[in-house]
Amino acid sequence: MTRQIRDVMSPGTAAVEPMTTVARAARLMREQDIGDVLVTYDCDLFGVLTDRDIVIRAVAEGLDPAVTTVGAVCTRPPVVTLAPDDTTDRAIELMRRHAVRRLPVVERGGCPVGIVSLGDLAVTEDPHAAMVGVSEAAPNR
């Protein structure tokens, strides 16, 4: 069943500025039990930083997380986004085409208002799918 993104997204996602250190962003992810943060400057989406970005682009490259900024290692524009009025079908299409698991949701003018993940879509689109149990499971600690 196709739904609007506003009905399935996680609203009010965590955001950091480009000059925030990778270490600070990682602590924020841990504290909020999330795998990504939006990188914003004022109300503009600058990029997306995932836990994978931290590992591949910072730690594996030998960069110091205490001084490396998220702006240096995040996925930068053009970042694929959705609008709250877009459909879950559109989100699935974009995720497939761009091989991403998360999409920022932005209002007109580019102001981020949330994020939609593959797990959000799995729970919404097919409640009996194998992904549902994974998406709803408690995080590993």
Side-chain angles (χ1 to χ4, degrees), residues 71-135:
V73 296
C74 70
T75 300
R76 308 256 325 253
V79 174
V80 180
T81 63
L82 292 166
D85 292 334
D86 279 330
T87 65
T88 52
D89 286 345
R90 172 102 171 113
I92 293 166
E93 172 199 338
L94 288 173
M95 286 181 179
R96 282 186 182 138
R97 184 179 332 145
H98 297 281
V100 295
R101 293 183 169 98
R102 301 171 181 105
L103 292 169
V105 181
V106 297
E107 290 183 331
R108 290 197 173 114
C111 188
V113 294
I115 198 157
V116 65
S117 72
L118 183 60
D120 295 331
L121 296 174
V123 170
T124 302
E125 295 298 305
D126 185 0
H128 304 292
M131 276 296 298
V132 173
V134 173
S135 299

Side-chain angles (χ1 to χ4, degrees), residues 3-121:
R3 297 176 65 186
Q4 286 189 318
I5 291 301
R6 74 169 29 90
D7 298 329
V8 300
M9 71 181 196
S10 297
T13 58
V16 297
E17 291 186 344
M19 296 308 294
T20 305
T21 66
V22 169
R24 175 64 192 118
R27 284 191 300 275
L28 179 63
M29 288 179 185
R30 180 188 62 206
E31 291 163 5
Q32 295 194 15
D33 192 28
I34 54 178
D36 58 81
V37 293
L38 299 181
V39 182
T40 61
Y41 189 74
D42 290 327
C43 194
D44 293 323
L45 182 63
F46 180 85
V48 177
L49 180 75
T50 67
D51 45 10
R52 179 173 165 77
D53 292 331
I54 293 171
V55 172
I56 301 300
R57 297 180 181 163
V59 176
E61 292 294 325
L63 301 177
D64 182 352
V67 297
T68 302
T69 66
V70 298
V73 296
C74 70
T75 300
R76 308 256 325 253
V79 174
V80 180
T81 63
L82 292 166
D85 292 334
D86 279 330
T87 65
T88 52
D89 286 345
R90 172 102 171 113
I92 293 166
E93 172 199 338
L94 288 173
M95 286 181 179
R96 282 186 182 138
R97 184 179 332 145
H98 297 281
V100 295
R101 293 183 169 98
R102 301 171 181 105
L103 292 169
V105 181
V106 297
E107 290 183 331
R108 290 197 173 114
C111 188
V113 294
I115 198 157
V116 65
S117 72
L118 183 60
D120 295 331
L121 296 174

